[in-house]
Amino acid sequence: MTGYGPQGLALAPAGGSARDLIFERIRAAGQIARVDIARDLSISPATVTTLTADLMSRGLIEETADGRGAGGARGRPRVALRLRADAHVVAGLKLGDRVVTVVLLDFAGRRLAERTTPAGPVPCDAEAVLASVEDALDQALAEAALTRTDLAFIGVGVPGFVATETGMVHWSPTLSVCDVPLAQLLEQRLGRPVAIDNDANLLAMAELWFGVGRAMRDFIVVSIEQGVGMGIVLGNRLYRGTRGRGAEFGHMKVQPEGALCRCGQRGCLEAYVADYALLREAETALPHAPLAPQDRLEKLFAEAKAGNLAARSIFHRAGRLFAIGLANIVNIFDPELVILSGEQMRYDYLYSDAVREGMEANSLDLGHPPVELRIHKWEDQLWAKGAAALALDRLSEQLLAGEMADA
Ligand SMILES: [Zn+2]
């Protein structure tokens, strides 16, 4: 058992009691003895015994034999605590522009099922989104021999401007309408509690709960797909900003009075780096190529590689502005790690040495080694796991709050 969730303790989390910290510690450890919890959290063994008894009576954790063998002179097996895997099931979904990906996890964070189903063309109306979510979810549930009533919580990742606190999608490239109360609509449709978030935030959640970010306090995930997204983790927690929206890296201004962005403003990073921006420029570099957008993009990239100067300049400019954007982020947040992820990562101009050098050249030199930059392979499944982490987070919050009220 390796556990899941941030390994570092979030110091003074909002409303975090000693019991919540113990719960988080058990979750992160996978399994852990009471004596080790007491040591790690500097809480007395008697308090740990009382609070873990409470978590156990609520069905959240259970005892298990400690794999590290017998303890004590008489060889009595040591007892450890772990999350009760079958206590709850959650679902995480990522809405892509061509597919919906679902993952089902048990309460111990283990995968029960995973499914990717084709989705209709985007942008579409809310009804079409509800239908594709419903369809994808039911297929995943059938694979795990479960029904909707088995789901304790559902997390959904949506590209665009998403307010997780209110469950509103203010704008999304997958939706043809603005200001959709998507979480509420999904709850009505599915009959289960639903939380939604910006998909880049959920990619950061996936790294924080299941990936390299588990062991890091401060890191940043940049995703490049249709648009440019960013998730910021500070002090082992996802940073969401005041309005619950989080970072809009794609709309950082990199060029005054520059190219027109989808958001209606000018000079945004996205207006140089995203698919649609590259395709817009492709008109001049590939004048006689009647191709579907994705093929056109591939062709543009192939042309740039083959030495087409116009095509090459499009990618070079995107890479240069991307490097400046990254440097600005590094200068503000001083993260331990920057992870680049997303479908676009297969176009190497965004993670070339030139981008790394550009980022370093524009970052403040304080005599420290430059920030680590890593490329993570793009997988829809990872994004869906981030959505499942959101579901587990909300569920745990609810369960612990309920217990507080009872206590
Ligand atoms: Zn913009």
Side-chain angles (χ1 to χ4, degrees):
M1 286 286 255
T2 51
Y4 66 97
Q7 282 166 342
L9 289 170
L11 295 173
S17 66
R19 191 195 48 177
D20 296 0
L21 291 176
I22 291 172
F23 176 77
E24 285 188 7
R25 186 72 200 98
I26 296 169
R27 183 175 65 193
Q31 69 176 53
I32 183 168
R34 287 183 180 83
V35 59
D36 296 326
I37 296 173
R39 188 203 54 217
D40 289 357
L41 299 179
S42 307
I43 299 174
S44 79
T47 305
V48 170
T49 300
T50 307
L51 296 177
T52 52
D54 181 45
L55 290 171
M56 218 178 307
S57 72
R58 307 289 167 173
L60 297 178
I61 60 169
E62 63 189 3
E63 287 187 331
T64 178
D66 190 325
R68 285 181 300 172
R74 291 182 185 176
R76 197 159 53 91
R78 268 170 53 120
V79 169
L81 298 167
R82 67 181 179 193
L83 261 55
R84 213 162 63 91
D86 55 2
H88 301 283
V89 178
V90 301
L93 290 92
K94 169 179 163 60
L95 303 186
D97 58 337
R98 292 178 285 268
V99 292
V100 176
T101 305
V102 187
V103 62
L104 302 181
L105 302 183
D106 69 17
F107 199 50
R110 293 181 309 199
R111 193 170 62 211
L112 301 175
E114 185 193 314
R115 190 98 191 180
T116 299
T117 56
V122 295
C124 57
D125 61 15
E127 174 55 34
V129 168
L130 298 183
S132 27
V133 166
E134 190 173 34
D135 180 42
L137 189 62
D138 286 348
Q139 288 193 35
L141 286 166
E143 193 182 314
L146 295 168
T147 63
R148 284 187 209 170
T149 51
D150 294 314
L151 290 176
F153 222 105
I154 301 168
V156 182
V158 188
F161 301 148
V162 180
T164 190
E165 296 303 321
T166 57
M168 291 285 289
V169 178
H170 293 292
W171 176 86
S172 172
T174 60
L175 277 162
S176 54
V177 275
C178 289
D179 296 322
V180 176
L182 189 63
Q184 195 193 337
L185 293 174
L186 283 168
E187 282 183 355
Q188 286 165 3
R189 182 79 164 229
L190 304 169
R192 310 305 304 154
V194 174
I196 64 170
D197 204 343
N198 169 272
D199 59 357
N201 276 350
L202 294 184
L203 195 56
M205 281 284 270
E207 296 288 358
L208 177 65
W209 282 58
F210 299 107
V212 292
R214 290 190 67 200
M216 289 186 187
R217 269 186 65 81
D218 309 310
F219 67 94
I220 283 173
V221 179
V222 174
S223 66
I224 306 194
E225 282 201 294
Q226 294 292 304
V228 182
M230 173 177 282
I232 300 170
V233 172
L234 299 175
N236 303 309
R237 304 236 155 204
L238 184 68
Y239 172 79
R240 291 185 191 280
T242 309
R243 294 166 192 83
R245 262 194 354 211
E248 289 299 343
F249 183 48
H251 304 280
M252 169 182 277
K253 304 296 179 280
V254 292
Q255 188 79 59
E257 301 303 320
L260 190 62
C261 179
R262 285 192 294 192
C263 73
Q265 299 192 348
R266 283 189 176 278
C268 299
L269 178 60
E270 201 172 287
Y272 297 93
V273 171
D275 276 6
Y276 76 88
L278 298 170
L279 286 169
R280 187 168 56 191
E281 294 285 322
E283 298 301 324
T284 53
L286 304 172
H288 309 297
L291 293 167
Q294 194 55 41
D295 298 335
R296 204 170 165 76
L297 205 55
E298 298 285 351
K299 169 103 171 125
L300 185 70
F301 187 59
E303 286 279 322
K305 285 280 167 193
N308 176 332
L309 289 179
R312 193 178 277 184
S313 76
I314 294 168
F315 289 107
H316 277 174
R317 182 172 67 167
R320 249 189 349 263
L321 294 173
F322 186 56
I324 289 173
L326 288 178
N328 287 337
I329 293 300
V330 168
N331 287 339
I332 293 170
F333 292 104
D334 185 23
E336 198 174 339
L337 172 71
V338 175
I339 299 169
L340 304 182
S341 184
E343 201 173 11
Q344 284 276 42
M345 288 304 154
R346 68 178 184 277
Y347 302 133
D348 60 1
Y349 65 97
L350 287 182
Y351 56 94
S352 62
D353 287 342
V355 167
R356 187 184 295 271
E357 283 159 17
M359 182 186 91
E360 286 170 11
N362 287 288
S363 300
L364 292 173
D365 182 4
L366 302 173
H368 302 301
V371 63
E372 189 188 349
L373 191 66
R374 277 198 215 177
I375 317 297
H376 280 188
K377 201 174 152 285
W378 166 73
E379 291 169 277
D380 267 343
Q381 186 227 332
L382 185 65
W383 300 64
K385 257 186 126 173
L390 174 69
L392 285 166
D393 193 28
R394 287 298 170 87
L395 175 65
S396 308
E397 221 175 78
Q398 227 174 49
L399 293 168
L400 292 167
E403 289 165 16
M404 296 279 271
D406 288 343

